[in-house]
């Protein structure tokens, strides 16, 4: 009898709860009675920020819990500590308990890096010849050989190069309809992107024989590629750098690149070194150092002055013949950089600016 009485009370409570919302201007979605108010919608990693629930009808709230990326955030003194594994565009979820019911509401915000990027410069170690006809899109060393991809429809290639002489050892032309983009090498396979065709290619690294094609998933375009020995990283012209499974080539996640002030969307050619992604900034004489786990832009390398050392050839384009191409030589511990239609390849050390 007691059980039945409790059940009747509970049903009456739920019925009264529903009547309350139906009486609020015909509103049948209780989540519309609440909203999240954040002190700021641009929040730095680890920052404490004030939060409140706007209660439009003064409904009695039993409890509120906050979540980000599926993890509950501790609430102290009406403040949340904004910690997450990755940065970028985020959604704060509030679970509100009222009358034995759970109402879920959301608020979008941007989680930014905890501190400003450090500034780096460079010193030239060596200068080597480079094919000025090469509209460089990708650059990477593999077993001592420099691999390069070039772009533009009708001029796109993937090639092996003797970096000391600039001699092209082997060259494969892409179909005239596609625009070649970044490359990376993993497990004796060379992966190459195309720009807007929605297709990538996989080659045998030893002879550049094509093994297969693959299509993109949610990523917008094909820009740059690199790898950490387990997965591929792919830039697409947005703030996202995608993770690709090297066997299935499916997109299995992403990070978003951000400084302490904004989300940034100009990562182009990529190179992975010791947990960091070195990324050319599209159409700029600079390069970012990105934490490969979080997306935080931890450094910016100023390559100003390097372009002035180039002899402009017949393929030169003042707008597009910019710095693009970065490869790390593990044995030498140096970086190699060049640009689109540049006649030189530079071996450099990257130095923190005083």
């Amino acid at each position: 009898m007691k059980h039945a009485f409790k059940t009747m009370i509970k049903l009456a409570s739920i019925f009264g709860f529903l009547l309350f919302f139906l009486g609020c201007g015909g509103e049948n979605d209780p989540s519309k009675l609440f909203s999240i108010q954040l002190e700021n919608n641009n929040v730095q990693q680890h920052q404490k920020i004030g939060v409140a629930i706007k209660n439009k009808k003064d409904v009695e709230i039993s409890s509120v819990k906050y979540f980000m990326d599926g993890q509950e955030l501790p609430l102290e003194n009406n403040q949340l500590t904004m910690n997450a594994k990755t940065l970028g565009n985020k959604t704060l979820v509030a679970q509100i308990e009222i009358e034995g019911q759970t109402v879920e509401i959301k608020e979008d915000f941007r989680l930014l890096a905890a501190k400003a990027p450090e500034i780096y410069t460079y010193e030239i170690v060596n200068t080597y010849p480079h094919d000025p006809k090469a509209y460089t899109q990708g650059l990477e060393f593999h077993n001592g050989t420099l691999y390069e991809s070039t772009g533009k429809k009708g001029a796109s290639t993937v090639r092996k190069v003797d970096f000391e002489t600039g001699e092209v050892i082997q060259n494969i032309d892409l179909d005239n309809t596609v625009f070649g983009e970044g490359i990376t090498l993993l497990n004796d396979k060379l992966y190459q992107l195309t720009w807007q065709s929605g297709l990538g290619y996989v080659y045998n690294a030893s002879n550049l024989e094509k093994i297969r094609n693959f299509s993109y998933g949610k990523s917008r375009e094909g820009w740059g590629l690199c790898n950490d020995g387990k997965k591929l990283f792919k830039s697409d012209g947005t703030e996202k750098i995608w993770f690709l499974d090297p066997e299935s080539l499916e997109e299995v996640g992403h990070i978003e690149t951000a400084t302490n002030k904004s989300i940034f969307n100009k990562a182009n050619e990529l190179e992975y070194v010791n947990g960091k992604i070195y990324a050319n900034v599209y159409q700029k004489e600079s390069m970012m150092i990105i934490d490969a786990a979080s997306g935080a832009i931890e450094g910016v390398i100023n390559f100003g002055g390097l372009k002035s050392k180039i002899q402009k050839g017949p393929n030169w384009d003042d707008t597009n013949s910019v710095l693009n191409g970065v490869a790390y030589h593990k044995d030498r511990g140096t970086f190699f950089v060049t640009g689109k239609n540049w006649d030189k390849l530079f071996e450099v050390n990257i130095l923190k600016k005083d």
Side-chain angles (χ1 to χ4, degrees):
M1 185 68 180
K2 287 182 180 180
H3 177 73
F5 183 70
K6 287 180 179 179
T7 302
M8 288 174 65
I9 295 241
K10 185 176 181 182
L11 288 172
S13 175
I14 293 171
F15 183 68
F17 176 74
L18 292 172
L19 283 177
F20 171 81
F21 286 114
L22 289 171
C24 293
E27 181 61 71
N28 59 8
D29 182 359
S31 67
K32 295 188 182 298
L33 296 178
F34 306 97
S35 61
I36 300 173
Q37 293 182 308
L38 279 175
E39 188 179 352
N40 193 332
N41 281 71
N42 292 316
V43 187
Q44 292 180 358
Q45 177 81 299
H46 313 309
Q47 182 181 351
K48 290 183 182 293
I49 187 165
V51 63
I53 297 296
K54 185 175 182 181
N55 189 343
K56 300 175 184 177
K57 296 292 181 180
D58 293 324
V59 182
E60 184 177 345
I61 295 175
S62 302
S63 66
V64 181
K65 293 181 180 179
Y66 295 94
F67 298 84
M68 177 172 58
D69 294 343
Q71 300 295 315
E72 185 175 358
L73 299 175
L75 179 66
E76 294 183 20
N77 300 320
N78 294 319
Q79 288 186 319
L80 296 173
T81 301
M82 309 302 271
N83 291 335
K85 293 181 180 179
T86 60
L87 306 180
N89 294 288
K90 298 288 182 180
T91 300
L92 182 65
V93 178
Q95 290 184 353
I96 305 170
E97 292 291 332
I98 42 176
E99 295 286 342
Q101 307 296 305
T102 301
V103 176
E104 189 172 279
I105 59 174
K106 300 178 180 181
E107 177 71 16
D108 294 332
F109 70 101
R110 302 195 302 174
L111 186 63
L112 307 176
K115 58 182 182 179
E118 296 186 286
I119 306 302
Y120 293 79
T121 185
Y122 66 96
E123 65 174 5
I124 298 173
V125 178
N126 287 300
T127 302
Y128 304 100
H130 180 255
D131 179 7
K133 297 187 297 296
Y135 195 77
T136 304
Q137 300 290 359
L139 210 63
E140 189 165 327
F141 281 100
H142 181 68
N143 294 335
T145 299
L146 183 63
Y147 288 75
E148 182 174 13
S149 61
T150 68
K152 289 194 172 181
K153 291 183 178 180
S156 293
T157 68
V158 59
R159 55 180 65 179
K160 297 180 186 179
V161 179
D162 182 329
F163 75 88
E164 292 182 307
T165 65
E167 178 190 357
V168 177
I169 301 168
Q170 186 180 3
N171 184 86
I172 302 296
D173 293 323
L174 273 62
D175 189 273
N176 288 343
T177 62
V178 300
F179 192 118
E181 283 285 349
I183 58 169
T184 195
L185 292 103
L186 178 62
N187 299 328
D188 295 319
K189 294 177 182 176
L190 185 149
Y191 300 83
Q192 183 183 31
L193 300 174
T194 63
W195 181 24
Q196 295 178 321
S197 301
L199 282 176
Y201 308 125
V202 184
Y203 304 86
N204 183 317
S206 62
N207 58 16
L208 298 184
E209 180 180 337
K210 188 188 286 186
I211 300 171
R212 58 171 290 196
N213 297 348
F214 65 93
S215 59
Y216 304 160
K218 294 180 180 179
S219 58
R220 191 183 72 173
E221 296 175 348
W223 285 41
L225 271 181
C226 66
N227 76 84
D228 64 359
K230 295 180 180 179
K231 62 180 177 293
L232 311 184
F233 296 87
K234 174 184 183 288
S235 60
D236 71 344
T238 72
E239 70 278 4
K240 293 183 175 69
I241 294 180
W242 297 85
F243 309 149
L244 273 62
D245 180 283
E247 295 302 321
S248 68
L249 280 308
E250 292 181 357
E251 294 161 2
V252 293
H254 70 270
I255 53 175
E256 297 182 23
T257 56
T259 68
N260 62 316
K261 293 186 177 180
S262 65
I263 294 174
F264 198 72
N265 63 353
K266 298 291 185 181
N268 198 4
E269 218 273 283
L270 310 177
E271 180 78 343
Y272 179 94
V273 184
N274 298 327
K276 312 299 178 186
I277 296 173
Y278 291 75
N280 284 116
V281 180
Y282 179 60
Q283 289 194 325
K284 300 291 184 182
E285 304 309 309
S286 60
M287 194 178 294
M288 297 179 285
I289 304 174
I290 302 165
D291 181 81
S294 70
I297 301 172
E298 298 180 338
V300 176
I301 310 163
N302 182 358
F303 277 102
L306 202 60
K307 189 175 180 178
S308 65
K309 301 179 184 299
I310 304 304
Q311 182 69 40
K312 298 180 181 180
N315 294 87
W316 188 265
D317 179 336
D318 282 331
T319 301
N320 294 311
S321 294
V322 294
L323 179 77
N324 199 49
V326 51
Y328 181 70
H329 197 296
K330 187 176 180 180
D331 294 337
R332 300 162 78 103
T334 55
F335 287 85
F336 285 69
V337 297
T338 189
K340 302 174 182 182
N341 303 127
W342 286 22
D343 67 343
K344 293 181 178 65
L345 173 71
F346 299 95
E347 183 179 6
V348 302
N349 284 321
I350 294 171
L351 309 169
K352 189 176 291 186
K353 193 170 183 180
D354 296 330

